[in-house]
Amino acid sequence: SQGRRLEKQAESMTEAPQYEREINLKFDYEPVIPSAKTLVDIDVPQLCIGEGQGKRLLSQGIRLRLRGSEKICITGRNGSGKTTLMKLLYKELSKRPELKLAYMPQNYEELMDPDMTAEEFLAREGGREERVMIYNRLASLRFTPDDMTRRIRELSGGQKAKLMLLSLTLSGADLLLMDEPTRNFSPLSGPVIRRILSGFGGAMISVSHDRKFIEEVPDTVYELTAEGLKAQAI
């Protein structure tokens, strides 16, 4: 009798469904960029990695133009130089003081001090109102009070991705540079991230392999090849 009861219980048991509460994230500002304004006008005769005898040519004849609030996505095979190109763009565009720029690198530690807490990374002024705002925003991204006081080195890849994206929404930037922005987000967070980025009123240059991101966010898609950027159909 006990055996039959246990078997019945086992039959009625089902695997707990995967569930993730939707994150709450938005841009706090609305960039206004004239449609005819050229934000990016860059020529890269040769894109290389390494130095000396180890120097290797990845691509050549790269020409990139971006006007108004255009959103561009760059695709390409692994090793084609997409991340190298994004780093070069960030370096060159950062020299323009009139351009409000924010960058999300593939390796977050390029911009994050691993010994900082999430609050310290986001803080600009350090006042009480700012701290309250930061705590509320982190909570909306499902950070617990313990997560908020941990060093960034102790956070998961997904938490670092959320923190980096949150910093972009608070940046006031007109132009976002993002290298694989959806890489560390769960599939359940994907639709939210794509909706947030597609609704951004500013300009964007991104690198992505995420097919849904490519279909829903950019206006223009290029493939990085050995002969430069080639326009692709979305």
Side-chain angles (χ1 to χ4, degrees), residues 124-143:
R124 297 295 180 268
E125 300 173 359
R128 182 179 182 279
E129 288 187 6
E130 183 184 54
R131 289 199 301 273
V132 172
M133 180 275 293
I134 288 173
Y135 291 149
N136 288 337
R137 293 303 176 83
L138 289 172
S140 73
L141 293 177
R142 311 310 170 199
F143 277 68

Side-chain angles (χ1 to χ4, degrees), residues 85-111:
L85 177 59
M86 288 295 283
K87 289 180 178 180
L88 185 149
L89 290 174
Y90 179 58
K91 179 181 177 181
E92 294 301 315
L93 295 174
S94 295
K95 298 175 182 177
R96 293 174 50 187
E98 81 284 1
L99 184 61
K100 297 178 181 178
L101 178 69
Y103 179 43
M104 184 178 187
Q106 190 174 128
N107 177 15
Y108 310 134
E109 283 72 18
E110 289 179 26
L111 298 182

Side-chain angles (χ1 to χ4, degrees), residues 14 54 80 123 175 188 204 215 234:
T14 57
S80 60
L175 172 61
L188 297 174
M204 181 186 304
E215 291 173 351
I234 299 179

Side-chain angles (χ1 to χ4, degrees), residues 104-165:
M104 184 178 187
Q106 190 174 128
N107 177 15
Y108 310 134
E109 283 72 18
E110 289 179 26
L111 298 182
M112 287 179 166
D113 182 341
D115 291 321
M116 281 186 171
T117 63
E119 179 201 350
E120 290 170 340
F121 173 70
L122 295 171
R124 297 295 180 268
E125 300 173 359
R128 182 179 182 279
E129 288 187 6
E130 183 184 54
R131 289 199 301 273
V132 172
M133 180 275 293
I134 288 173
Y135 291 149
N136 288 337
R137 293 303 176 83
L138 289 172
S140 73
L141 293 177
R142 311 310 170 199
F143 277 68
T144 67
D146 285 344
D147 293 333
M148 297 179 195
T149 58
R150 287 194 178 101
R151 301 298 174 187
I152 288 176
R153 68 169 72 252
E154 300 171 348
L155 299 178
S156 68
Q159 288 173 318
K160 292 176 184 177
K162 290 178 182 178
L163 187 56
M164 182 61 70
L165 188 57

